[in-house]
Amino acid sequence: MKITLFGATGGTGKQLVDQACAAGHEVTAVVRDPARLARTDPHLTVVTADVMDPDSIAPHVSGRDAVITAIGSPDLKPTTIQTDSTRSIIEAMRRQGARRLLVVSNGGMATEGDGPVTRFLAKPILSRILRNPWGDMRVMEEAVRAADLDWTIVRPPMLTDGPRTGTYRTAIDRNVRGGVRLSRADLADCILRHLDDPDAVHVAIAAGN
């Protein structure tokens, strides 16, 4: 498939680049600083563009089979980076007639499917600590759901730098009970598995070990 990837220089993004190229996909990584993506592969094209500018990124989503955004906020300060970048991507896709969008969100905001300890003890605490990034993700998800696109929201739990196992569990529109951790490598695996899955359109997919 022809894939455009935003957020390619982050931990999940780098896993997506490596795994997608290894699978033979044609990957266009849209970045601000190419020096941060020290990858060379015949399946990879790295381009520089401003994700916040639909005019800048529109040529790079044109004719693509799927667009993935793994953009995230690096700290706990008030932010709109995921909302603003995703709205820009949606607008660029609308202009170019691109349809398939997969976005990385977070399972912390949802409680459906959680066990009582997670739901009533852990998450109320985390929701206060992570209120800014989670608030940004919540508004981002609203923008995705309102878009006339074939979208999928992927909601991982706490991410680790562990290996790719392929043995994680998934759930649709609810969290994976007890699945409190997931490696970035397995998150990338999950995203790529659902690229062309018709059952993944217009749903939120949770994953966890």
Side-chain angles (χ1 to χ4, degrees):
M1 297 178 69
K2 296 180 179 179
I3 301 169
T4 294
L5 173 62
F6 296 91
T9 59
T12 299
K14 289 176 180 177
Q15 287 289 338
L16 282 164
V17 168
D18 290 347
Q19 293 183 34
C21 288
H25 297 300
E26 181 182 313
V27 181
T28 297
V30 181
V31 300
R32 288 183 300 174
D33 181 7
R36 294 183 60 196
L37 189 61
R39 300 287 195 277
T40 56
D41 189 283
H43 297 99
L44 175 64
T45 301
V46 181
V47 299
T48 304
D50 181 2
V51 69
M52 299 301 184
D53 179 6
D55 290 334
S56 178
I57 62 176
H60 307 302
V61 302
S62 177
R64 313 306 285 180
D65 297 308
V67 176
I68 303 170
T69 173
I71 292 174
S73 177
D75 54 43
L76 302 179
K77 297 177 182 178
T79 180
T80 58
I81 187 171
Q82 285 190 264
T83 298
D84 293 344
S85 62
T86 302
R87 283 175 173 164
S88 178
I89 292 167
I90 289 170
E91 174 60 20
M93 292 178 67
R94 184 191 65 79
R95 295 180 188 180
Q96 298 297 324
R99 296 292 309 169
R100 186 75 176 109
L101 173 66
L102 299 95
V103 302
V104 177
S105 185
N106 187 282
M109 299 177 298
T111 57
E112 186 69 26
D114 287 336
V117 173
T118 300
R119 185 169 191 168
F120 298 112
L121 180 61
K123 285 195 174 175
I125 296 172
L126 290 172
S127 66
R128 292 193 291 272
I129 298 171
L130 301 171
R131 63 184 179 277
N132 291 319
W134 283 7
D136 184 22
M137 291 179 197
R138 187 173 290 106
V139 179
M140 179 269 289
E141 286 196 11
E142 292 172 358
V144 171
R145 292 178 183 278
D148 183 22
L149 298 174
D150 298 330
W151 53 264
T152 300
I153 296 168
V154 183
R155 291 175 173 166
M158 184 175 71
L159 292 172
T160 73
D161 291 323
R164 179 184 181 184
T165 69
T167 59
Y168 52 87
R169 296 170 291 150
T170 60
I172 302 297
D173 291 328
R174 60 190 295 117
N175 287 329
V176 175
R177 185 159 183 165
V180 296
R181 290 180 178 82
L182 185 73
S183 71
R184 291 175 176 85
D186 274 341
L187 173 57
D189 181 89
C190 178
I191 293 167
L192 295 174
R193 285 189 186 189
H194 291 95
L195 278 179
D196 57 353
D197 179 4
D199 293 332
V201 175
H202 295 165
V203 298
I205 298 175
N209 290 331

